[in-house]
Amino acid sequence: MIAILFLILLLLNPAVSVAGALRGLQLWFNVVLPTLAPFIICTRAILADNVITLLMRPFHPVFHRLFGLSITGSFVMLCGLLCGYPLGAKLCADSLKENRISQAEARYLFSICNHPSPMFVLGCVRSCLPFSVSALFLVVCLYLPILPLSLLSRRFYGWKGKAPLSSHGYAEPARTQFDAQLREPPVSLEDILASTSDTMILIGSYIMLFSILSAWIEKLTFLPAAAQAFLAGSAEITTGVKRIAVLLPDRRALVPTLLCISFGGISGIFQTGSVIKKNPDAQDSSYGGLSVRHYLCWKLLHATLSGVTAALLASLPFH
């Protein structure tokens, strides 16, 4: 039914649809592809070469004490924070599939590891806002809510953070996991490139579709500016942030913008669902019980916490 409605809208206003599709594909080709694809290739190569312990030795004690994560879980969390949607979710699903993390840790990690990158927040988002705002303000509002969110998620999924730190200050994966990895055939660079290409095409397709949706939303001029900004921000975050700045050209844009980027947009939800699938033809194609519905709830909660944090900090006299 949704596909039929989409087709009717495409036929009714092809010029708007083509413009939206072109904008989405330009965004994918000029921004998403050159920034995200190299990160996916490098992180998959690191996982395949089993050098995570060496790489994460300086960082794992911090992630273990804050979030109770294993070394591989800490690597996924770090990449999810630095590299942007949907790399954290993809690495979480890949690590679970390869027995590098347990199902309990994966479910917990999946709720907190997928975020917009600091480069996107401090570059694109900050430049789009119609007023000056400090980088520290944006970082605090966006990433500080991860801490209370992680406490709720650990309690909900029953994750105890059972991998203790060793005398060297980091926790190695269980020997059975190493044995399982050693028995698996090595992953070639061609395999990594093919997997990355499939992922990037999926991401680009979703960006294109939801950019078309954003273009249609821009034509709903009869709606109040706040409602139109909400719809645009809910569809796709990059075009949504720019549209919010146009519709709310003052400090009213701050909280909606942070709600938009912390939620990730419906496009981000679909992208996340696509990268955790093990078999598109299976009835239940998500891997290891990673639930997109649960993920949606956690992102809504994260958006709420980010919006409340922004509203409170913006009301302080020193801001």
Side-chain angles (χ1 to χ4, degrees):
M1 192 65 187
I2 295 177
I4 295 174
L5 178 61
F6 210 87
L7 177 62
I8 292 172
L9 290 173
L10 286 172
L11 295 173
L12 285 176
N13 206 335
V16 174
S17 303
V18 170
L22 180 61
R23 184 170 60 186
L25 290 174
Q26 287 175 335
L27 168 66
W28 174 77
F29 184 77
N30 294 323
V31 179
V32 178
L33 181 62
T35 55
L36 187 58
F39 277 112
I40 294 179
I41 294 169
C42 290
T43 51
R44 287 299 301 135
I46 289 170
L47 283 172
D49 288 341
N50 291 323
V51 294
I52 294 177
T53 300
L54 179 63
L55 178 66
M56 291 302 298
R57 190 171 295 179
F59 308 105
H60 176 245
V62 176
F63 282 93
H64 180 79
R65 289 185 171 89
L66 283 177
F67 304 108
L69 294 169
S70 65
I71 275 195
T72 302
S74 298
F75 176 72
V76 172
M77 186 70 184
L78 179 63
C79 292
L81 286 169
L82 295 181
C83 304
Y85 299 116
L87 184 58
K90 177 172 174 55
L91 289 177
C92 181
D94 289 347
S95 299
L96 175 59
K97 180 180 179 180
E98 296 165 6
N99 296 316
R100 299 174 187 273
I101 57 177
S102 67
Q103 187 181 75
E105 184 177 12
R107 288 178 174 176
Y108 158 61
L109 186 58
F110 187 51
S111 68
I112 60 169
C113 71
N114 217 28
H115 305 284
S117 70
M119 291 183 292
F120 172 74
V121 174
L122 302 182
C124 177
V125 174
R126 194 180 180 199
S127 64
C128 286
L129 285 170
F131 54 89
S132 177
V133 60
S134 72
L136 180 61
F137 180 90
L138 291 175
V139 168
V140 168
C141 292
L142 183 60
Y143 299 117
L144 184 63
I146 298 173
L147 292 175
L149 197 70
S150 69
L151 295 177
L152 290 172
S153 180
R154 286 174 73 171
R155 187 175 182 85
F156 182 82
Y157 293 112
W159 173 246
K160 305 297 183 182
K162 296 179 180 179
L165 289 175
S166 68
S167 59
H168 300 288
Y170 60 91
E172 296 187 7
R175 178 59 55 186
T176 54
Q177 291 181 356
F178 272 133
D179 294 340
Q181 293 163 19
L182 290 173
R183 287 194 297 269
E184 293 176 354
V187 179
S188 67
L189 179 59
E190 288 77 12
D191 293 334
I192 294 173
L193 292 175
S195 174
T196 302
S197 298
D198 290 343
T199 300
M200 293 310 303
I201 290 173
L202 277 171
I203 291 172
S205 299
Y206 280 121
I207 291 175
M208 179 188 68
L209 288 175
F210 283 93
S211 293
I212 294 173
L213 179 60
S214 294
W216 290 337
I217 291 173
E218 291 179 11
K219 297 301 179 181
L220 302 178
T221 54
F222 58 88
L223 291 176
Q228 198 177 355
F230 170 79
L231 291 174
S234 299
E236 204 281 320
I237 59 174
T238 306
T239 53
V241 165
K242 294 177 181 178
R243 190 61 183 163
I244 289 171
V246 171
L247 293 167
L248 304 173
D250 50 38
R251 300 194 72 86
R252 292 178 299 163
L254 181 60
V255 172
T257 297
L258 281 161
L259 289 171
C260 167
I261 59 177
S262 56
F263 174 60
I266 301 174
S267 174
I269 301 296
F270 276 85
Q271 292 174 39
T272 298
S274 71
V275 300
I276 67 169
K277 289 183 176 180
K278 60 176 179 179
N279 180 4
D281 298 323
Q283 186 174 5
D284 179 13
S285 57
S286 63
Y287 190 85
L290 299 180
S291 171
V292 176
R293 282 177 291 184
H294 282 201
Y295 173 80
L296 173 60
C297 293
W298 290 116
K299 295 309 293 182
L300 288 170
L301 183 55
H302 186 186
T304 302
L305 292 174
S306 292
V308 170
T309 303
L312 291 175
L313 292 180
S315 65
L316 296 176
F318 60 81
H319 179 258

